[in-house]
Amino acid sequence: MGSVSGLSHEVTLQTINPKVLKCQYAVLGAIVAQAERLQEQLKQQPSSLSFDEILYCNIGSPQALGQQPITFFREVLALCYHPDILDGSETQGLFSGDSIRRALQILNQIPGRAVGAYSMTQGIKGLRETIAAGIEARDGFPSNANNIILTDGATPAVHMMMQLLLRSEQDGILCPIPLYPLYSASIAIHGGTLVPYYLDEATGWSLNISEVKSQLETARSKGITVRALVVINPGNPTGQVLALENQKQIVEFCKIEGLVLLADEVYQENVYAPDKIFYSFKKVVRFMGYQEKDIALVSIHSVSKGYYGECGKRGGYMEVTGFSADVREQICKIAHVYLCSTNITGQILTSLVMNPPKAGDASYELYSAEKNGILSSLARRAKTLEDAFNNLEGMTCNKAEGAMYLFPRINLPQKAIKAAEAVHITPDAFYVSRLLEETGIVVVPGSGFGQVPGTWHFRCTILPQEDKIPAIVERVTTFHKKFMDEFYDENV
Ligand code: DCS
């Protein structure tokens, strides 16, 4: 496209920000585009495919796959959004008494009782106080509402911290590999360097502190200033729940090395292994006797996961401790620039998640039945899928101790690897693409999360409803056998 001056105004891949080009997010990558094409084909010619629906096991979006929202949370939201019904007689019997009380309490905390107004950047003060009280109840250590910054889900919290910490490519962030790609994408977009530390698949994706230390030293020897260490607990995509002793080592390491500890704890309610307990890093730090001045810790949480799964509502918070008041002000300034950085629904939901009904409240029985029903079903689904993957030739799968994913390893035949090379995709993407084509099941290739070179994986959520799991197992098993037969290595 030319102009009078002869200069081109066309925006091309060569003229956009190269950091955007560098950034990748496999959870919604090529495989989803392929799924959408098949979805369209199903609509146009339903009998042209060997399956009748696409099952999106690529993304941790529980309600998209049929998980029901928690009644109490939705009642409170409904009442906050249409307060007229609070006073009317319709409310009698329609809403539980504690939903009505909670909605009133929340409305009174919102300036002007206006859910449609901009809110204070950091989030509504009364809601932050509720969240701080919830953290205190969870951990048994104090939490200060001034340290809480409400966010539209966990994602903006991660971006804000990267924006704050990364000054140039010489600044690095230690991240686990395999890694939920928000972190690699955010580091790329904010122009820093990802310093990888590998989780150990052979020991249930454990975090070995000597590996972290050695990667830190390697990065420093290359002139990288490592600013922070990211820990995702429970892990995504790896599903491990850290042991307390391991958490203490991580805290000690960050303290000695002067690193900010970025603790992503969005799956804190999703723990299935009976021998595992979730401890927040905030609790571990305080339990070890460290105070604000000793260590900088950012704990990130979200309404997207847990038993609530309200990811479309976009709510979450970060609790920022161990930063000086002037740095915290700068973090808030980043939030200011986004103007009313969090939507009000997300803020309300975050306060509800951190202060759900208690024993004795009218909603409590229903609330706990819904919560326990969801979590115990997720645990059963995780176990059935894990066993199914482990039963397949050339596949091994660690337990999902927590979170929402399984990350099996596939030992792919050389012939399949060559076939993938011939079409210029990674071998795991080749497997995943064939799986989708033949079964309608969408999973994400391991290369989107990082993996030890030469190993191949995929990530599959445990979110399809329980009655669908047997059919999924059958479809994957049939596909896998056929795939392995087709690509059988005769010479091995
Ligand atoms: N941190 C982790 C570890 C996550 O898994 C996710 C979302 C987020 C942060 C961001 O979530 P919200 O912004 O919604 O709070 N998980 C993605 C995933 O792996 N599949 O679906 C979304």
Side-chain angles (χ1 to χ4, degrees):
M1 201 197 303
S3 70
V4 177
S5 63
L7 294 172
S8 170
H9 296 297
E10 195 180 352
V11 179
T12 66
L13 292 185
Q14 284 68 43
T15 64
I16 63 165
N17 182 348
K19 291 174 192 158
V20 173
L21 286 177
K22 205 174 153 197
C23 153
Q24 303 216 345
Y25 186 71
V27 171
L28 298 173
I31 193 71
V32 177
Q34 186 184 345
E36 280 163 1
R37 281 196 300 276
L38 288 171
Q39 183 96 58
E40 195 49 37
Q41 188 178 334
L42 266 182
K43 214 164 100 191
Q44 306 296 339
Q45 305 160 283
S47 53
S48 65
L49 293 167
S50 59
F51 46 86
D52 56 11
E53 73 170 326
I54 307 280
L55 263 176
Y56 287 93
C57 298
N58 59 307
I59 189 160
S61 184
Q63 294 187 25
L65 293 187
Q67 185 173 306
Q68 292 306 302
I70 297 293
T71 305
F72 173 78
F73 296 167
R74 288 300 183 90
E75 283 190 3
V76 177
L77 282 182
L79 291 165
C80 286
Y81 275 81
H82 196 45
D84 285 355
I85 52 176
L86 272 167
D87 311 320
S89 55
E90 305 101 287
T91 50
Q92 302 312 315
L94 256 186
F95 296 93
S96 64
D98 56 338
S99 313
I100 295 170
R101 274 197 305 284
R102 185 69 72 88
L104 279 168
Q105 182 195 345
I106 289 173
L107 281 170
N108 289 336
Q109 286 168 333
I110 300 179
R113 301 179 107 224
V115 290
Y118 285 133
S119 92
M120 185 186 171
T121 305
Q122 216 179 318
I124 293 159
K125 190 156 181 287
L127 299 180
R128 281 189 285 117
E129 282 164 356
T130 305
I131 292 161
I135 295 171
E136 265 183 47
R138 181 194 66 193
D139 294 343
F141 291 99
S143 169
N144 183 339
N146 290 332
N147 290 340
I148 310 277
I149 300 171
L150 289 172
T151 49
D152 273 349
T155 302
V158 172
H159 286 310
M160 277 158 75
M161 289 315 299
M162 296 304 170
Q163 210 159 10
L164 182 87
L165 293 172
L166 295 171
R167 297 162 296 185
S168 74
E169 276 190 358
Q170 295 309 106
D171 279 337
I173 307 285
L174 271 160
C175 292
I177 300 292
L179 170 71
Y180 170 51
L182 160 65
Y183 288 90
S184 36
S186 185
I187 292 168
I189 251 175
H190 292 105
T193 295
L194 187 149
V195 181
Y197 64 89
Y198 284 86
L199 301 172
D200 183 18
E201 184 165 18
T203 53
W205 298 113
S206 66
L207 188 162
N208 188 339
I209 209 76
S210 58
E211 156 72 3
V212 186
K213 196 167 171 48
S214 123
Q215 297 289 359
L216 173 73
E217 275 157 16
T218 308
R220 281 182 177 159
S221 73
K222 292 180 188 158
I224 303 287
T225 306
V226 179
R227 310 294 317 272
L229 169 78
V230 172
V231 181
I232 306 177
N233 183 42
N236 176 9
T238 39
Q240 80 286 19
V241 177
L242 289 175
L244 179 59
E245 277 315 305
N246 209 194
Q247 290 187 272
K248 288 188 194 165
Q249 290 175 324
I250 295 164
V251 169
E252 203 58 41
F253 177 78
C254 287
K255 181 173 157 41
I256 292 169
E257 302 293 349
L259 304 177
V260 175
L261 176 51
L262 289 178
D264 183 325
E265 300 178 331
V266 302
Y267 297 103
Q268 58 187 266
E269 303 272 5
N270 298 100
V271 177
Y272 316 118
D275 57 336
K276 288 291 172 103
I277 298 176
F278 166 80
Y279 295 104
S280 75
F281 270 102
K282 173 81 183 311
K283 179 174 182 148
V284 175
V285 163
R286 295 289 175 267
F287 180 74
M288 291 170 79
Y290 293 135
Q291 301 307 319
E292 286 242 6
K293 62 179 181 2
D294 299 316
I295 183 167
L297 168 68
V298 180
S299 317
I300 299 173
H301 194 19
S302 165
V303 304
S304 297
K305 311 295 173 182
Y307 55 90
Y308 14 90
E310 296 274 16
C311 30
K313 298 273 189 286
R314 313 306 296 138
Y317 72 82
M318 54 178 170
E319 186 185 21
V320 177
T321 53
F323 290 82
S324 62
D326 48 355
V327 170
R328 207 180 51 216
E329 236 169 71
Q330 295 299 313
I331 302 175
C332 289
K333 188 174 78 185
I334 300 175
H336 279 314
V337 177
Y338 291 109
L339 188 62
C340 183
S341 64
T342 323
N343 75 89
I344 306 295
T345 310
Q347 295 196 31
I348 296 173
L349 258 176
T350 310
S351 80
L352 297 174
V353 158
M354 294 310 287
N355 183 21
K358 306 285 181 299
D361 292 347
S363 289
Y364 183 71
E365 231 170 83
L366 177 63
Y367 158 79
S368 13
E370 289 174 339
K371 171 181 171 176
N372 296 337
I374 290 167
L375 292 176
S376 53
S377 169
L378 284 171
R380 286 192 298 272
R381 292 179 241 173
K383 180 78 179 95
T384 308
L385 286 170
E386 174 208 323
D387 289 346
F389 290 144
N390 278 320
N391 273 335
L392 300 180
E393 179 201 348
M395 202 179 283
T396 51
C397 183
N398 277 329
K399 199 183 269 171
E401 296 174 334
M404 294 179 170
Y405 316 96
L406 288 160
F407 197 60
R409 176 172 173 179
I410 348 163
N411 196 357
L412 288 170
Q414 280 308 313
K415 214 167 147 189
I417 295 173
K418 292 226 168 66
E421 279 165 5
V423 290
H424 309 292
I425 57 174
T426 57
D428 49 3
F430 180 73
Y431 179 91
V432 155
S433 164
R434 291 285 291 261
L435 175 73
L436 169 59
E437 230 169 80
E438 291 181 32
T439 66
I441 299 167
V442 193
V443 298
V444 184
S447 39
F449 304 90
Q451 53 201 342
V452 171
T455 68
W456 307 110
H457 301 77
F458 63 84
R459 189 190 78 167
C460 178
T461 71
I462 56 167
L463 295 174
Q465 289 303 291
E466 221 168 336
D467 58 355
K468 297 226 158 125
I469 301 285
I472 293 176
V473 168
E474 199 200 304
R475 273 144 84 175
V476 172
T477 306
T478 309
F479 160 77
H480 185 80
K481 284 193 179 129
K482 203 167 141 229
F483 182 94
M484 294 306 257
D485 283 349
E486 182 180 344
F487 294 101
Y488 176 67
D489 286 329
E490 281 122 32
N491 305 328
V492 182

